[in-house]
Amino acid sequence: WGGEPFGVTSNNVGHNEWNLSSNGVWMFEMLGEKGGSSRLLQDRIYRYAYASGASFISEEWGLCNTFLDWEDFELSQYGKVKLEFLKEVRSDFEIGAPYTPIAVVLPADLEVFDLWLLAKENTRYLGFPMEESKKCQYEDVAEGLRALFGDSSQAHGNEAHVIKNGGMPDVFDILHADHEEALSHYDYLIDLTGDASFAQKHTNVVKLDDLENLLRSILPCWVDGGVHWMLNRVTDGYRLMIFNHNGIDRSVAFGDRFLKEADLTGRIDAKGTLRLLNSSRCDFRTDGQERNVALSAGGYATFVLSQ
């Protein structure tokens, strides 16, 4: 899904597994190979989900997207991205397990995290007006999450909101305050509960203002430059994954437009040996001790970090 107008890429003959036409169906448009989101976003979503621990992906309109027809089953551009991804994960490539030494702790009564809470000046929760006390509490939660996971308010193009650049490195899990047994497995906690007693009961709470200094001391590397980056543990060290989710303008009228102003360069400070494993729209350069990865719009790079 995605693009302008909002819709889905599709095969040449209009067949889909839901046996629907686009007439009168809510939010449904079969727009051909330039419809929907970009192939670069598709590729990054697969990689991010896999690196985050997903073992199964279920696609809505998957057959409609994957094959150009339902007789010869020729692969579409969407299907070719999927096939290359499957080949990679079925090889000896080791992705490891996400390295998340810190848990972000939400209020126990915030049972459903409504993404609209991240929208500034939002006054509703699950569609209902919020009490003033909850509004203040949930605003603090949203502010903390924007600082940790990035904010697409300065983004270029129409796909940067899906996975965000910026924020801190992607080394956090999100739990609720009443999951004490689960919280005990984390080295540090970030308290977004709004409950003063929580910090009193947990000696490993770290303040947001102190977080960057802590992360620089405990992580095996640091990447500057406003990119999105994450770490996975593997047998020989770590996998370092760096993404630029910014700068793709997707439209049926022109396909993908890559916005030069969204290009980013990440400077990698690593405690060990760094080797580029795979990449797209990326230029990795070393100059003595300095290691820079230039990522065009929609680009990514995966590194082996050995210690």
Side-chain angles (χ1 to χ4, degrees), residues 186-200:
Y186 292 85
D187 298 332
Y188 301 95
L189 306 176
I190 296 173
D191 179 13
L192 297 183
T193 65
D195 179 2
S197 66
F198 182 86
Q200 295 173 356

Side-chain angles (χ1 to χ4, degrees), residues 241-262:
M241 286 148 285
I242 305 176
F243 303 88
N244 180 7
H245 301 296
N246 208 347
I248 299 177
D249 198 24
R250 174 78 171 179
S251 167
V252 171
F254 49 75
D256 295 339
R257 179 181 291 156
F258 305 114
L259 306 178
K260 191 69 178 174
E261 59 268 32

Side-chain angles (χ1 to χ4, degrees), residues 15 65 265:
H15 292 163
N65 294 337
T265 297

Side-chain angles (χ1 to χ4, degrees), residues 5 13 49 66 78 89 92 118 125 140-141 177 250 268 282 291-292 304 307:
V13 293
T66 300
Y78 181 101
V89 300
D92 294 332
L118 288 176
Y125 174 63
D140 290 342
V141 171
R250 174 78 171 179
I268 307 171
C282 160
R291 290 169 280 195
N292 294 317
V304 175
Q307 294 183 299

Side-chain angles (χ1 to χ4, degrees), residues 11 63-64 66-76 79:
N11 56 47
L63 292 177
C64 172
T66 300
F67 304 105
L68 291 177
D69 64 75
W70 286 9
E71 294 184 9
D72 299 326
F73 294 97
E74 180 184 353
L75 287 176
S76 65

